[in-house]
Amino acid sequence: MPEIRVTPLGAGQDVGRSCILVSIAGKNVMLDCGMHMGFNDDRRFPDFSYITRSGRLTDFLDCVIISHFHLDHCGALPYFSEMVGYDGPIYMTHPTQAICPILLEDYRKIAVDKKGEANFFTSQMIKDCMKKVVAVHLHQTVQVDDELEIKAYYAGHVLGAAMFQIKVGSESVVYTGDYNMTPDRHLGAAWIDRCRPNLLITESTYATTIRDSKRCRERDFLKKVHEAVERGGKVLIPVFALGRAQELCILLETFWERMNLKAPIYFSTGLTEKANHYYKLFITWTNQKIRKTFVQRNMFEFKHIKAFDRAFADNPGPMVVFATPGMLHAGQSLQIFRKWAGNEKNMGTVGHKILSGQRKLEMEGRQVLEVKMQVEYMSFSAHADAKGIMQLVGQVEPEGVLLVHGEAKKMEFLKQKIEQELRVSCYMPANGETVTLPTSPSIPVGISLGLLKREMAQGLLPDAKKPRLLHGTLIMKDSNFRLVSSEQALKELGLAEHQLRFTCRVHLHDPRKEQETALRVYSHLKRWAPRSFWLGLGRSGARGGSHCASRQRPQGPLRAAPSRWVRDCGVHPHPGCCPLRGPRHQGAAGVLDLPG
Amino acid sequence: MDPECSQLLPALCAVLADPRQPMADDTCLEKLLDWFKTITEAGSSLLLLQENPCLVELLCHVLKPQDLSSRVLSFSLRLTGVFAAQEDCFQYLQGDSSLFVASAAGQLLVHILSLSMRGPAEGPPGLQADDWPACAQKIVGHIEESLRSTAAPQITQALNVLTTTFGHCHDPWTQVLWVQLHPLVAALLEKDPVPAAHSLVDLLLSVARSPGLSSSSCGLWETLAQTLSHLSPTQAGLLALGILKLQDCPQALRAQAFAVLLQPLACVLKATAQGPGPSGLLDSTSADSVTADILLPSKAACVGLLCRTLAHLELLLPLPQRPCPWPQAPLLGAAVTLLQLCGGSGSPASDEGRQLCTLLLGCVRVQRAALDFLGTLSQETGPPELVTQVFAVLLEYLRSPDSSPTVLKKAFQATFRWLLSSPRTPGCSDLDSHALLFLRELLPVLQKRLCSPCWEVRDSGLEFLTQMTRRWGGQAGFRHALLASEVPRLTEQLLRDPESYVRASAVTAMGQLSSQGLCVPPASPEHPGGQQKSLLGELLHILSTDSEGFPRRAVMQVFTQWLRDSHADVVGDTEQFVAGVLQVAGQDLDWEVRAQGLELALVFLEQTLGPPRSHCPYAVTPPVAAPASPLTQALQPLCRVRLFEFAFRALFDCDRPVAQKSCDLLLLLRAKMASSSSLQEPRSSPDVASVEAALQRWRAGDQAQPLGDLEPEVVLAVLRSMDLEGLRGALAESSDHVEKSPQSLLQDMLATVGILGENEADCY
């Protein structure tokens, strides 16, 4: 039985380190190759021993697909390709290809420079890894090899994020990566064909959340920033350089313009200029509004937002600073935080400790830093919420759904919702757990022109939307199937037609006269026997034909029997050996079951 | 455990034991476990448990049936293992970082088996399986039952458990176990297809490697031979490779294993043979129909088998225990044939050959594997006519417009390896006349590739050029061929490539060419020498203006190398060169450029003051020649190039490696001062005070004010007064060492209690 197998090596019931193995019709694909930011050792990378145990990676995997440039989706790529030794192609969209090495390089810098890690991938490895990348366009069908094809769809979320359809013959899987079903200030909403895959693998970060209006969140954010600045305070916004940062920049820029505010806004990293460069370069990937107004004014050329110099942090008066990294674990955002945390007029959003209400933090050299500044947490994350996920499942119409990139408890809730409301089976494997889905492959069958003409002569024109039965004989020759008329089948296979006469003695207990009884039997046989007999034969051919017309799974022995019969016919060396047996014989016998 | 952590621990244990308090982040549990491991490695776990009764309470609590999260449960079980590991029987358990439950369960079974067989104090159980403890008998019974099962997953599990057992336990009882289970394992071979073939191969190799077993007495060799012949060629390759890697095994079995590995290539050679006669590879079995059956009907199977075979042979070639004699010539022939078939230049006469040709035409996977294999084969020589064919096929690939960037890169690598191996005279690294002839054909191809629209190809071309120049740049034949080509001019143009990776590679290549005196274009009316911008100026321009880090880093590396080699462009006015480079590098945003600047400063310092003394106490050191002039005088050039301002600034750099490197440089200088005869007493002067004050400001983050011209005496005084050792100690700690501390971890975990898991999603 053909099947699709899915094993998450990461993102199985967790958020972070996305890496999912999919086997479809004998092809093996790795979806994303992310790392876990919470670890400082090899545990940050997915456990590839699952694949490497049975030999070389390159022999096992047909391709790797990266959905977008976030490190939890691509951070392990250089490790995987240059240190573990994957040699095959890596597919991603053009913006992801452009931005991915910058983020990898940046992460390498933090790991090697700030944390002093040895045995980390080098710049040369990032370059060698990027040489294996094949960039794809949206909606472009890319042929990985003769059988495996992939196609990218717009996913929103961040610049260049894509969902991927992976297809081998008639079997397919759709992987969403991270996506957003509502457009925001700079990106559009995710969109995909109604491609009816066997399986949809979807992220489920916000599996239980129905998010409030984005407008409310934005208003709240602007109000708080405005108040802090009015008080003469300083606002620190720790962000990751690419993605949400641009969304907030557009938001503040527009607000500053409208309110005619003068307090300076700074962006603290050299990465930003690069980021904005790429947003300009890949303007077609942004939303409709930005694309339309691009000619008059580029939204990413900010008037109010200036590059930050570390000396500015000591300047008196209000200011807003976007600083990286987003979780205040190192670098500039942490330095600024140390400077400003002691002043209650200031505001900042920070990592775990402060977010959870700690007000006294130990800093280097056993110094204790008292946090007097106001701390706010605001979510601008661009993931689909529960409603969005349901909407996408409805849009794609998959046969099954598999949840990844979320927490087990939330997944459980969404799984039930999908199964109950959409009547689609849903899976949520943990890391290392394999989900196996049986598939019903559709086997292409060629139909002889003669047979087709005969069918057409009955006046019914072919209609793609209405599959219908076609009667004929199924022949398997050189791994190909053909449906032909029985005469042609006999001719092609060099078989002589045999006529079989079935006789049997039947004792009839009929009180009527002998002649009357004979007449009754005769008229009954005349009415039923020939048709039933040929129906038995005809049906066998038709069953084979229906295989190609619809994608239903074979359900009983009747389906298996004809193909076995045909195969016997095709290879049997003795034409005299009659293939008629089994079900047809029973069909003929049933005729004598006289009604009351 | 420090007292702060001890205070936090009871609260944390209470949280872990409470099923209503979910842990949002499972990495913290992993880190907690890491911490406990370090504590128990350093001291007694018993003491730890006595001092922290909350841990015992937690472990007892989780054993009660309740709705505890699986994360906390598995954490507690592993924690128990950590404590028990001191009894050393649990140690393997701790080493298992596997994510996979089945594997963990298997490991557990092995450890219980091993533990029970170690026996109580009165000694281990006897060698009769009937005398084994009930627990061990039960486990063995379970394994036997699984091996008899018809369900493949169950057989796989049993085989994996046995593989781990024979891998870890080498006591005499393992031999008894193998003798008992051997018939069941052998029975698996009777099934068609052989179930769990991968796991079976792993097990047999694990048994064969086990020092606890005497292989001859257990019928292992027979089973291995039987397995080799029963498995399909696709499955048997791994086993064959494993057998050939074994240190001692019967020659007949090795021959059989090698034949399995060679079969697919023998089939290829047979199918493509131009005339009748032996191909030289497996004459006796070359007609193996099983392999041919697998190779020919389906493309996927054919490609898979060939790639695996090539990879296995590639692994085997460098090993000392590889088969002898090694069939170098036929293997070379096979690799070349495969590349020809994939490239479309093979024209086999037979039907099978044509079929193979159709299957392999344009197949990138086989191309990649065959090029890697061909490159590895260069470790050995081959008959001249075959080597000519090798170069021809490599040239064909380098020329072909159909070659993908990855294939081209591999073709460049293989070409370089074959060029390296081409000299006939031992000990001579020069290119021979054949190689030089090949080079004349190669350079126009390289020229074309340097103009490729694909940045990957341009970059691989430049890397290849750098490698060749580094190796043969001094050889007349190479120089002549290169200078007669357009390659140096094109390389120079690539300094302005739109792709930063290519610019960086072009910088490295130009640096190399220039070091060998190869980048000056021949004087001609079109290129009057005077109008050519000097390479030094060009590279300085890149260093100060390129928007990307890679080219700037490459420039710094070239400059450092030039200074080390006393390159002509540098020797003219070394001080001006060093001063200029340090000034630009000091302002660079990329820490690696600044760190490289310190490397350059170090080279200059060593050239000015003499090399550092060896730190090895046993090294024979020649008597140190005291500098002819006093140290202050020797420091003059360093002051003139403003090396100290650069180094002091770097000392307070916000990027740690830069500060560390600068600290090392200054410590080296101070060591030189100490050994110098001109050691003077520290003295204070207004100059010293103002420099020290400026350095204080720099340390605080305000680096706006320059130090100005420094006198050597002032530098020496400042160096003496600085606590460089202390600074080095502080710099040795990573910037997140506070956040990484166990106390911080415990605080984080306690702090997140009660906060909904909504927040962490935004990190991504």
Side-chain angles (χ1 to χ4, degrees), chain B residues 352-423:
Chain B
E352 282 184 335
R354 275 191 291 273
Q355 217 174 326
L356 206 55
C357 199
T358 322
L359 290 179
L360 294 182
L361 188 65
C363 178
V364 180
R365 274 178 77 170
V366 176
Q367 287 177 351
R368 286 198 311 251
L371 282 167
D372 277 344
F373 181 53
L374 189 65
T376 313
L377 281 174
S378 70
Q379 292 173 11
E380 301 283 318
T381 52
E385 64 278 8
L386 261 175
V387 176
T388 312
Q389 280 188 39
V390 168
F391 279 118
V393 82
L394 286 171
L395 205 59
E396 178 192 323
Y397 268 73
L398 292 172
R399 265 193 197 129
S400 165
D402 298 329
S403 296
S404 76
T406 319
V407 166
L408 267 175
K409 186 181 166 185
K410 287 192 184 289
F412 274 130
Q413 284 169 340
T415 306
F416 182 67
R417 294 178 79 173
W418 273 98
L419 280 173
L420 271 182
S421 76
S422 72

Side-chain angles (χ1 to χ4, degrees), chain A residues 9 13 15 36-41 43 47 50 53-54 56 58-59 62 70 72 87-89 101 105 108-109 112-116 123-124 126-128 130-131 133 146 157 205-206 209 240 274 310 327 334-335 352-353 355-356 358 362-364 366 377-381 383 407 410 431-432, chain B residues 4 25-27 30-31 34 71 97-100 160 198-199 202 238 299-300 307-308 311 314 365 368-369 372 405-406 409-410 455-456 459-460 463 501 505 547-548 550 553 591-592 654-657 734-740 743-744 747-748 751-752 755 757-764:
Chain A
L9 296 184
Q13 302 184 6
V15 181
H36 204 305
M37 310 287 275
F39 288 114
N40 281 335
D41 49 28
R43 281 174 291 181
D47 187 350
Y50 181 83
R53 216 186 124 258
S54 55
R56 285 206 325 170
T58 310
D59 302 330
D62 290 278
H70 276 155
D72 62 323
D87 225 1
E105 193 63 39
R108 194 187 77 80
K109 183 189 145 140
V112 176
D113 163 15
K114 304 284 177 196
K115 298 181 179 169
S123 291
Q124 179 71 32
I126 298 176
K127 177 171 91 172
D128 289 339
M130 292 315 291
K131 280 188 180 176
V133 169
D146 296 347
H157 187 63
T205 319
Y206 286 135
T209 319
F240 290 96
K274 261 185 225 167
R310 56 183 161 181
M327 284 311 283
L334 187 59
Q335 283 174 12
H352 269 304
K353 285 197 181 68
L355 213 51
S356 52
Q358 283 190 51
E362 193 196 313
M363 291 284 149
E364 275 163 50
R366 300 244 156 195
Y377 174 82
M378 277 163 269
S379 164
F380 285 89
S381 162
H383 291 275
E407 287 165 44
K410 295 181 182 179
N431 287 331
Chain B
E4 288 93 343
D25 174 15
D26 59 345
T27 62
E30 289 277 329
K31 287 173 185 164
D34 289 349
R71 279 173 187 173
S97 61
S98 170
L99 281 169
F100 307 106
N160 289 350
H198 263 306
S199 301
D202 283 350
L238 205 62
K299 181 171 177 169
C307 287
R308 263 190 287 268
E314 196 186 324
R365 274 178 77 170
R368 286 198 311 251
D372 277 344
T406 319
K409 186 181 166 185
K410 287 192 184 289
W455 74 264
E456 295 92 337
D459 193 76
S460 300
E463 284 177 341
Y501 279 139
S505 296
S547 60
E548 300 284 339
F550 312 114
R553 287 179 209 168
W591 67 269
E592 291 194 40
C654 59
D655 288 303
R656 206 161 58 98
S734 74
S735 70
D736 62 343
H737 74 275
V738 173
E739 287 82 1
K740 243 171 36 186
Q743 194 190 340
S744 169
Q747 281 172 346
D748 273 0
T752 47
I755 301 232
E758 192 72 5
N759 294 351
E760 83 274 20
D762 273 8
C763 314
Y764 306 105

Side-chain angles (χ1 to χ4, degrees), chain A residues 48-206:
Chain A
F48 296 119
S49 63
Y50 181 83
I51 345 177
T52 45
R53 216 186 124 258
S54 55
R56 285 206 325 170
L57 264 176
T58 310
D59 302 330
F60 177 84
L61 276 185
D62 290 278
C63 73
V64 172
I65 295 174
I66 300 294
S67 65
H68 63 287
F69 61 64
H70 276 155
L71 290 177
D72 62 323
H73 292 260
C74 71
L77 209 46
Y79 171 78
F80 182 63
S81 76
E82 305 310 309
M83 295 168 94
V84 182
Y86 170 70
D87 225 1
I90 302 164
Y91 293 91
M92 55 178 78
T93 65
H94 285 275
T96 308
Q97 185 199 27
I99 299 167
C100 191
I102 300 173
L103 291 193
L104 287 171
E105 193 63 39
D106 198 48
Y107 183 71
R108 194 187 77 80
K109 183 189 145 140
I110 291 177
V112 176
D113 163 15
K114 304 284 177 196
K115 298 181 179 169
E117 286 181 38
N119 194 24
F120 201 75
F121 50 75
T122 61
S123 291
Q124 179 71 32
M125 287 177 185
I126 298 176
K127 177 171 91 172
D128 289 339
C129 166
M130 292 315 291
K131 280 188 180 176
K132 294 172 184 166
V133 169
V134 181
V136 302
H137 293 286
L138 283 182
H139 301 177
Q140 172 200 2
T141 302
V142 177
Q143 210 70 44
V144 176
D145 58 32
D146 296 347
E147 295 152 313
L148 174 62
E149 62 180 49
I150 60 169
K151 190 174 179 180
Y153 292 95
Y154 192 78
H157 187 63
V158 286
L159 191 73
M163 308 187 188
F164 279 88
Q165 183 190 24
I166 302 110
K167 205 171 163 192
V168 182
S170 60
E171 292 176 34
S172 68
V173 169
V174 167
Y175 172 57
T176 65
D178 291 353
Y179 64 102
N180 194 2
M181 292 299 282
T182 49
D184 57 25
R185 279 173 189 268
H186 74 297
L187 296 172
W191 184 88
I192 186 164
D193 280 323
R194 190 178 299 280
C195 41
R196 300 192 177 98
N198 299 82
L199 185 69
L200 170 74
I201 303 174
T202 174
E203 68 132 324
S204 50
T205 319
Y206 286 135

